[in-house]
Amino acid sequence: MMPCARASPAAEALAIIKVGRHLGRIRRLLADCARLDGACLVERATLATQRIAALARPR
Amino acid sequence: MRAIAVEREADRCAMIGENAAALGVPHLELVAGVAPAAPGELSPPDAVFIGGGLTTPGLVERCWQALNRGGRLVANAVTVEGEARLFALRAEIGELTRIAVSRAEPVGAYTWLAPAHARDAADSRDQAMTGTVYGLGVGPGDPELLTLKALRILRAAPVIAYPAPETGDSFARSDRGASFARRSAGDRHPHAARRRPASRRRRSMRARPTRSSPQVAAGRDVAVLCEGDPFFYGSFLYLYERLVDRCPVQVVPGVVVADGLRQRRRPAPGAPQRDSHGGAGAAPR
């Protein structure tokens, strides 16, 4: 996970896939490197039940 | 390439030597011994021909086990009892073929085809393992985000495999697999559909290759549903490594989730108003 955090400042956009049960840790990590505000969470991408929400918001 | 003959009779050994010289068999190694015992000391052959004595206890079994992977056993089955020994191996044999030769001979003023002794050729199961495993990228979720190639293979494949967690349903199968399988392979091969009763959906990646392997061994194609792209951080990588030396494996790429999102991306509340992929993607709707 730390390489992602380091890559984050250099990349225009960053997709973190296969999140699953690591969601809480990822949210904390992004908060720690001040990336949480721009982050959005996509669930069930491309399906009819797709949900997009700000990652910072409590679910 | 070399040939080894095992013969216990001295006069037949001499005959074999003469025939080899006359017919030009290079590197023929002649072992004067009794067949069931002798071949054990030889390196694994690609093909074994048993000219007779099929009913000798342990002979067929020993020769069959000595065969190299993908090897072939050819035997002269003169008697019903001899042929029965070959049929006894049926469960292990990939293909059993009987070849009969008939020669034209005169019958009075006419001609008839006189049958010679039949030869039974048993191909080892490894050689018969001709089913192909397809790693099908089935896209990020939307059943329409599937390539035409993946769809074609999915519809034709008699067996569909998919990863599933220890508990709960398989996401790979949930929409794309299930909907396409119902319309396609499942209809044509109901046994494939019956392989997935609700009670058996709880199968792990670990269990799956061994469950699918007999299908491939039986010469049937297996389509493995892979979320997104099989090789884009996909667990098919592990399956590929295990199978690639054992059977043909083909990988069909799929739409990965980030690409699938381009059309759907809406700016999240509070998120910057720019395309998340930094370029050619569609504008946020």
Side-chain angles (χ1 to χ4, degrees), chain B residues 9-97:
Chain B
E9 306 287 342
D11 56 334
R12 289 189 183 177
C13 280
M15 193 199 297
I16 288 168
E18 285 168 22
N19 283 342
L23 298 168
V25 179
H27 313 301
L28 177 72
E29 195 180 314
L30 190 51
V31 179
V34 181
E41 292 116 44
L42 310 172
S43 60
D46 296 318
V48 173
F49 173 68
I50 304 174
L54 273 184
T55 51
T56 308
L59 174 66
V60 174
E61 291 78 6
R62 183 119 186 214
C63 290
W64 179 255
Q65 281 157 18
L67 266 185
N68 240 338
R69 179 180 160 172
R72 176 173 293 181
L73 182 95
V74 179
N76 244 343
V78 180
T79 63
V80 172
E81 287 77 10
E83 199 162 55
R85 303 302 286 251
L86 292 172
F87 283 127
L89 280 176
R90 199 66 189 89
E92 291 181 46
I93 289 173
E95 267 180 49
L96 183 64
T97 310

Side-chain angles (χ1 to χ4, degrees), chain B residues 187-236:
Chain B
D187 290 339
R188 296 200 301 115
H189 301 270
H191 58 271
R194 278 203 301 274
R195 291 193 164 272
R196 301 186 297 270
S199 62
R200 291 183 59 190
R201 277 183 201 151
R202 295 158 205 270
R203 62 181 67 166
S204 65
M205 277 303 292
R206 210 174 300 249
R208 191 163 47 86
T210 52
R211 283 177 195 250
S212 301
S213 293
Q215 301 290 338
V216 180
R220 302 167 77 204
D221 292 343
V222 174
V224 181
L225 307 183
C226 308
E227 289 168 37
D229 179 89
F231 280 1
F232 187 78
Y233 299 100
S235 45
F236 186 74

